[in-house]
């Protein structure tokens, strides 16, 4: 359901109050230890957060009339992800601001965990910022302790960085995640990290997606735009064999889909 900016701000302030006034020291230490692990130590790959966010985009809800798309903009000091989903719900915000809460259900056949997966962004940024309709908040780590990983801070439009304000104002209905990098801008470390992020976007990742149809990678450092788009061509089946035996199982009348991936270098067709 749609909520007002005032309601969203009140919700964020309530979460902030609960996080900052939690005084059970033993429990707080235990939670902080788990949060540190989730926030930056859980994944061995420095760009694993990108796979988590792509999976979250796949799991989001979309209007039937639009083509689900994730835009990834990279510049010397930040990454901005913009997704044309329906927008964050209150339950999503609570999951993001909790230790290990998921909004995904078995019935949805989703892989990712919106709350858990979001924690991986702290491997790239100490101040991730989320803008989605009425919701506008960010995190700041390290704070007083690791509870800062789940302690949201409300922001206003004047707090939005100028470098992303144009994209946000152009697509106000999108959900935007702004990640100012941990690394100093214009350094070899930052450029190496951003290069790894770009390489991590494998065009074939869309083959495993049911909803997400388009990835747009915008490298502002080189004024380069790469678009990967999936097109469903039709159904297919194994003509030569009506059944296939694998180990102790027999599969009858296997069928699949013909998928075409369009990139800047042309297109490839797959049977999946």
């Amino acid at each position: 359901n749609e909520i007002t900016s005032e309601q969203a701000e009140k919700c964020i302030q309530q979460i902030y109050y609960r996080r900052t006034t939690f005084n059970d020291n033993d429990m707080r230490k235990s939670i902080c230890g788990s949060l540190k692990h989730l926030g930056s130590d859980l994944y061995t790959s420095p760009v694993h957060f990108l796979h988590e966010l792509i999976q979250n985009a796949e799991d989001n809800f979309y209007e039937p009339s639009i083509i689900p798309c994730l835009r990834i903009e990279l510049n010397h000091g930040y990454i901005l992800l913009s997704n044309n989903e329906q927008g964050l719900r209150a339950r999503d915000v609570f999951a993001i601001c909790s230790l290990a809460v998921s909004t995904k259900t078995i019935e949805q056949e989703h892989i990712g965990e919106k709350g858990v997966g979001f924690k991986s962004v702290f491997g790239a940024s100490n101040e991730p910022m989320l803008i989605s309709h009425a919701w506008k908040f960010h995190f700041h780590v390290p704070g007083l302790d690791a509870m800062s990983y789940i302690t949201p801070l409300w922001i206003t439009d004047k707090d939005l960085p100028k470098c992303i304000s144009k994209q946000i104002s152009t697509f106000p209905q999108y959900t935007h995640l702004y990640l100012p990098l941990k690394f100093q801008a214009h350094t070899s470390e930052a450029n190496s990290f951003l290069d790894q992020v770009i390489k991590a976007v494998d065009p074939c990742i869309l083959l495993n997606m049911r909803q997400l149809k388009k990835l747009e990678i915008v490298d502002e450092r080189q004024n380069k735009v790469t678009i990967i788009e999936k097109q469903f061509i039709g159904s297919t089946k194994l003509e030569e064999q009506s059944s296939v035996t694998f180990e102790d199982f027999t599969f009858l009348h296997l069928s699949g889909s013909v998928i075409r991936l369009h990139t800047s270098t042309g297109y490839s067709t797959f049977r999946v």
Side-chain angles (χ1 to χ4, degrees):
N1 295 330
E2 290 287 338
I3 67 168
T4 66
S5 179
E6 291 76 15
Q7 290 172 324
E9 181 179 2
K10 183 178 179 180
C11 179
I12 293 298
Q13 289 175 342
Q14 288 174 342
I15 298 173
Y16 174 85
Y17 178 79
R18 288 198 295 269
R19 300 291 182 268
T20 55
T21 58
F22 184 70
N23 294 321
D24 186 327
N25 290 332
D26 289 339
M27 181 62 72
R28 191 177 185 98
K29 287 180 181 178
S30 177
I31 293 173
C32 286
S34 298
L35 285 168
K36 284 182 179 179
H37 180 62
L38 277 173
S40 58
D41 302 329
L42 183 59
Y43 306 110
T44 55
S45 169
V47 295
H48 183 87
F49 77 94
L50 183 65
H51 297 148
E52 292 286 342
L53 296 176
I54 291 174
Q55 184 61 56
N56 276 348
E58 161 68 7
D59 293 338
N60 286 334
F61 294 92
Y62 298 90
E63 296 293 342
S65 59
I66 64 102
I67 297 174
C69 173
L70 177 64
R71 182 182 187 272
I72 306 169
E73 177 182 318
L74 306 95
N75 211 326
H76 292 283
Y78 70 85
I79 299 173
L80 174 65
L81 297 99
S82 303
N83 181 215
N84 59 352
E85 62 148 338
Q86 289 183 0
L88 288 178
R89 302 161 298 174
R91 70 181 71 175
D92 299 323
V93 174
F94 281 114
I96 289 169
C97 300
S98 300
L99 173 56
V101 175
S102 171
T103 58
K104 314 298 173 62
T105 65
I106 295 175
E107 288 78 10
Q108 288 174 299
E109 298 182 351
H110 287 164
I111 300 171
E113 304 278 341
K114 188 179 287 288
V116 176
F118 179 83
K119 305 299 185 295
S120 64
V121 304
F122 290 104
S125 176
N126 287 329
E127 297 187 63
M129 179 183 294
L130 268 165
I131 302 99
S132 181
H133 299 262
W135 301 98
K136 297 182 180 70
F137 61 96
H138 75 131
F139 298 87
H140 179 78
V141 299
L144 179 63
D145 56 23
M147 287 288 280
S148 56
Y149 284 102
I150 56 172
T151 304
L153 301 163
W154 183 256
I155 59 174
T156 63
D157 288 339
K158 66 180 182 180
D159 299 316
L160 298 177
K162 291 183 179 179
C163 59
I164 64 170
S165 58
K166 180 179 179 181
Q167 171 69 7
I168 293 173
S169 60
T170 303
F171 300 100
Q173 299 304 310
Y174 283 25
T175 293
H176 304 275
L177 173 60
Y178 170 62
L179 301 175
L181 298 183
K182 286 183 173 183
F183 314 107
Q184 184 70 32
H186 298 279
T187 62
S188 59
E189 188 177 21
N191 280 323
S192 175
F193 177 77
L194 292 169
D195 289 342
Q196 289 183 66
V197 171
I198 291 175
K199 290 179 181 178
V201 185
D202 185 340
C204 291
I205 196 171
L206 287 182
L207 292 176
N208 298 319
M209 303 294 171
R210 296 188 179 189
Q211 292 200 103
L212 198 60
K213 299 293 191 299
K214 185 177 180 180
L215 290 172
E216 183 177 346
I217 302 95
V218 181
D219 189 348
E220 294 286 2
R221 299 172 301 165
Q222 303 178 18
N223 292 320
K224 181 180 179 181
V225 178
T226 302
I227 296 176
I228 305 166
E229 194 161 6
K230 182 173 74 171
Q231 180 183 8
F232 177 76
I233 303 300
S235 300
T236 183
K237 62 181 180 179
L238 296 178
E239 300 287 354
E240 297 180 1
Q241 294 175 276
S242 59
S243 66
V244 175
T245 301
F246 177 73
E247 294 185 347
D248 295 328
F249 299 93
T250 299
F251 299 89
L252 301 175
H253 308 296
L254 289 177
S255 62
S257 302
V258 178
I259 302 295
R260 179 172 292 169
L261 286 181
H262 294 262
T263 67
S264 56
T265 58
Y267 66 85
S268 300
T269 303
F270 300 85
R271 297 176 69 189
V272 296

